PDB file of all heavy atoms in Angstrom:
ATOM      1  N   PRO B  83     102.803 137.466  29.098  1.00 97.00           N
ATOM      2  CA  PRO B  83     104.134 137.725  29.682  1.00 97.00           C
ATOM      3  C   PRO B  83     104.188 137.546  31.187  1.00 97.00           C
ATOM      4  O   PRO B  83     105.235 137.167  31.730  1.00 97.00           O
ATOM      5  CB  PRO B  83     104.408 139.172  29.256  1.00 97.00           C
ATOM      6  CG  PRO B  83     103.676 139.312  27.954  1.00 97.00           C
ATOM      7  CD  PRO B  83     102.417 138.515  28.133  1.00 97.00           C
ATOM      8  N   SER B  84     103.080 137.789  31.890  1.00 97.00           N
ATOM      9  CA  SER B  84     103.089 137.629  33.350  1.00 97.00           C
ATOM     10  C   SER B  84     103.221 136.172  33.781  1.00 97.00           C
ATOM     11  O   SER B  84     103.411 135.893  34.974  1.00 97.00           O
ATOM     12  CB  SER B  84     101.823 138.227  33.960  1.00 97.00           C
ATOM     13  OG  SER B  84     100.672 137.539  33.491  1.00 97.00           O
ATOM     14  N   GLN B  85     103.131 135.259  32.836  1.00 98.00           N
ATOM     15  CA  GLN B  85     103.333 133.849  33.145  1.00 98.00           C
ATOM     16  C   GLN B  85     104.796 133.434  32.987  1.00 98.00           C
ATOM     17  O   GLN B  85     105.136 132.260  33.155  1.00 98.00           O
ATOM     18  CB  GLN B  85     102.421 132.965  32.282  1.00 98.00           C
ATOM     19  CG  GLN B  85     100.954 133.130  32.638  1.00 98.00           C
ATOM     20  CD  GLN B  85     100.027 132.304  31.766  1.00 98.00           C
ATOM     21  OE1 GLN B  85     100.118 132.357  30.532  1.00 98.00           O
ATOM     22  NE2 GLN B  85      99.127 131.558  32.391  1.00 98.00           N
ATOM     23  N   THR B  86     105.655 134.379  32.697  1.00 97.00           N
ATOM     24  CA  THR B  86     107.090 134.134  32.714  1.00 97.00           C
ATOM     25  C   THR B  86     107.493 133.779  34.137  1.00 97.00           C
ATOM     26  O   THR B  86     107.263 134.557  35.068  1.00 97.00           O
ATOM     27  CB  THR B  86     107.850 135.368  32.239  1.00 97.00           C
ATOM     28  OG1 THR B  86     107.556 135.587  30.857  1.00 97.00           O
ATOM     29  CG2 THR B  86     109.348 135.195  32.420  1.00 97.00           C
ATOM     30  N   SER B  87     108.082 132.608  34.305  1.00 97.00           N
ATOM     31  CA  SER B  87     108.363 132.131  35.653  1.00 97.00           C
ATOM     32  C   SER B  87     109.145 130.827  35.562  1.00 97.00           C
ATOM     33  O   SER B  87     109.388 130.300  34.472  1.00 97.00           O
ATOM     34  CB  SER B  87     107.045 131.889  36.400  1.00 97.00           C
ATOM     35  OG  SER B  87     107.266 131.574  37.751  1.00 97.00           O
ATOM     36  N   VAL B  88     109.541 130.321  36.721  1.00 97.00           N
ATOM     37  CA  VAL B  88     110.081 128.969  36.813  1.00 97.00           C
ATOM     38  C   VAL B  88     108.987 128.091  37.421  1.00 97.00           C
ATOM     39  O   VAL B  88     108.429 128.429  38.472  1.00 97.00           O
ATOM     40  CB  VAL B  88     111.351 128.912  37.670  1.00 97.00           C
ATOM     41  CG1 VAL B  88     111.880 127.468  37.719  1.00 97.00           C
ATOM     42  CG2 VAL B  88     112.419 129.841  37.120  1.00 97.00           C
ATOM     43  N   TYR B  89     108.694 126.999  36.764  1.00 98.00           N
ATOM     44  CA  TYR B  89     107.603 126.121  37.177  1.00 98.00           C
ATOM     45  C   TYR B  89     108.171 124.820  37.741  1.00 98.00           C
ATOM     46  O   TYR B  89     109.020 124.177  37.127  1.00 98.00           O
ATOM     47  CB  TYR B  89     106.688 125.814  35.992  1.00 98.00           C
ATOM     48  CG  TYR B  89     105.914 127.020  35.535  1.00 98.00           C
ATOM     49  CD1 TYR B  89     106.472 127.928  34.636  1.00 98.00           C
ATOM     50  CD2 TYR B  89     104.633 127.271  36.014  1.00 98.00           C
ATOM     51  CE1 TYR B  89     105.774 129.061  34.235  1.00 98.00           C
ATOM     52  CE2 TYR B  89     103.919 128.391  35.612  1.00 98.00           C
ATOM     53  CZ  TYR B  89     104.501 129.288  34.725  1.00 98.00           C
ATOM     54  OH  TYR B  89     103.803 130.404  34.331  1.00 98.00           O
ATOM     55  N   PHE B  90     107.682 124.463  38.919  1.00 98.00           N
ATOM     56  CA  PHE B  90     108.113 123.223  39.568  1.00 98.00           C
ATOM     57  C   PHE B  90     106.928 122.293  39.753  1.00 98.00           C
ATOM     58  O   PHE B  90     105.859 122.708  40.194  1.00 98.00           O
ATOM     59  CB  PHE B  90     108.728 123.509  40.937  1.00 98.00           C
ATOM     60  CG  PHE B  90     110.065 124.187  40.872  1.00 98.00           C
ATOM     61  CD1 PHE B  90     110.177 125.552  41.100  1.00 98.00           C
ATOM     62  CD2 PHE B  90     111.215 123.451  40.602  1.00 98.00           C
ATOM     63  CE1 PHE B  90     111.408 126.178  41.046  1.00 98.00           C
ATOM     64  CE2 PHE B  90     112.449 124.075  40.541  1.00 98.00           C
ATOM     65  CZ  PHE B  90     112.540 125.447  40.760  1.00 98.00           C
ATOM     66  N   CYS B  91     107.166 121.038  39.440  1.00 97.00           N
ATOM     67  CA  CYS B  91     106.197 119.983  39.696  1.00 97.00           C
ATOM     68  C   CYS B  91     106.686 119.195  40.905  1.00 97.00           C
ATOM     69  O   CYS B  91     107.900 119.061  41.127  1.00 97.00           O
ATOM     70  CB  CYS B  91     106.100 119.077  38.470  1.00 97.00           C
ATOM     71  SG  CYS B  91     104.956 117.708  38.628  1.00 97.00           S
ATOM     72  N   ALA B  92     105.758 118.689  41.690  1.00 96.00           N
ATOM     73  CA  ALA B  92     106.116 117.899  42.874  1.00 96.00           C
ATOM     74  C   ALA B  92     105.132 116.754  43.034  1.00 96.00           C
ATOM     75  O   ALA B  92     104.005 116.807  42.529  1.00 96.00           O
ATOM     76  CB  ALA B  92     106.109 118.773  44.132  1.00 96.00           C
ATOM     77  N   SER B  93     105.561 115.721  43.735  1.00 95.00           N
ATOM     78  CA  SER B  93     104.657 114.614  44.054  1.00 95.00           C
ATOM     79  C   SER B  93     104.898 114.166  45.481  1.00 95.00           C
ATOM     80  O   SER B  93     105.967 114.401  46.054  1.00 95.00           O
ATOM     81  CB  SER B  93     104.860 113.444  43.088  1.00 95.00           C
ATOM     82  OG  SER B  93     106.055 112.735  43.387  1.00 95.00           O
ATOM     83  N   SER B  94     103.889 113.514  46.027  1.00 93.00           N
ATOM     84  CA  SER B  94     103.967 113.072  47.414  1.00 93.00           C
ATOM     85  C   SER B  94     102.983 111.946  47.633  1.00 93.00           C
ATOM     86  O   SER B  94     101.880 111.977  47.078  1.00 93.00           O
ATOM     87  CB  SER B  94     103.628 114.251  48.340  1.00 93.00           C
ATOM     88  OG  SER B  94     103.372 113.839  49.651  1.00 93.00           O
ATOM     89  N   PRO B  95     103.342 110.964  48.437  1.00 89.00           N
ATOM     90  CA  PRO B  95     102.299 110.037  48.870  1.00 89.00           C
ATOM     91  C   PRO B  95     101.293 110.797  49.722  1.00 89.00           C
ATOM     92  O   PRO B  95     101.631 111.810  50.343  1.00 89.00           O
ATOM     93  CB  PRO B  95     103.054 108.998  49.715  1.00 89.00           C
ATOM     94  CG  PRO B  95     104.489 109.231  49.458  1.00 89.00           C
ATOM     95  CD  PRO B  95     104.633 110.659  49.063  1.00 89.00           C
ATOM     96  N   LEU B  96     100.064 110.335  49.770  1.00 82.00           N
ATOM     97  CA  LEU B  96      99.118 110.877  50.730  1.00 82.00           C
ATOM     98  C   LEU B  96      99.514 110.387  52.119  1.00 82.00           C
ATOM     99  O   LEU B  96     100.318 109.465  52.252  1.00 82.00           O
ATOM    100  CB  LEU B  96      97.704 110.434  50.370  1.00 82.00           C
ATOM    101  CG  LEU B  96      97.097 111.137  49.149  1.00 82.00           C
ATOM    102  CD1 LEU B  96      95.754 110.530  48.801  1.00 82.00           C
ATOM    103  CD2 LEU B  96      96.967 112.635  49.391  1.00 82.00           C
ATOM    104  N   PRO B  97      98.973 111.010  53.176  1.00 80.00           N
ATOM    105  CA  PRO B  97      99.332 110.558  54.521  1.00 80.00           C
ATOM    106  C   PRO B  97      99.084 109.067  54.702  1.00 80.00           C
ATOM    107  O   PRO B  97      98.097 108.524  54.210  1.00 80.00           O
ATOM    108  CB  PRO B  97      98.393 111.368  55.420  1.00 80.00           C
ATOM    109  CG  PRO B  97      98.034 112.552  54.628  1.00 80.00           C
ATOM    110  CD  PRO B  97      98.030 112.122  53.189  1.00 80.00           C
ATOM    111  N   ARG B  98      99.993 108.415  55.398  1.00 78.00           N
ATOM    112  CA  ARG B  98      99.832 106.983  55.694  1.00 78.00           C
ATOM    113  C   ARG B  98      99.220 106.898  57.093  1.00 78.00           C
ATOM    114  O   ARG B  98      99.931 107.027  58.095  1.00 78.00           O
ATOM    115  CB  ARG B  98     101.192 106.304  55.629  1.00 78.00           C
ATOM    116  CG  ARG B  98     101.828 106.394  54.242  1.00 78.00           C
ATOM    117  CD  ARG B  98     103.023 105.469  54.115  1.00 78.00           C
ATOM    118  NE  ARG B  98     103.571 105.503  52.757  1.00 78.00           N
ATOM    119  CZ  ARG B  98     104.652 106.176  52.395  1.00 78.00           C
ATOM    120  NH1 ARG B  98     105.323 106.872  53.286  1.00 78.00           N
ATOM    121  NH2 ARG B  98     105.077 106.158  51.157  1.00 78.00           N
TER     122      ARG B  98
END
Side-chain angles (χ1 to χ4, degrees):
Chain B
S84 63
Q85 292 178 309
T86 293
S87 187
V88 181
Y89 292 85
F90 289 101
C91 179
S93 75
S94 166
L96 286 174
R98 298 192 176 101

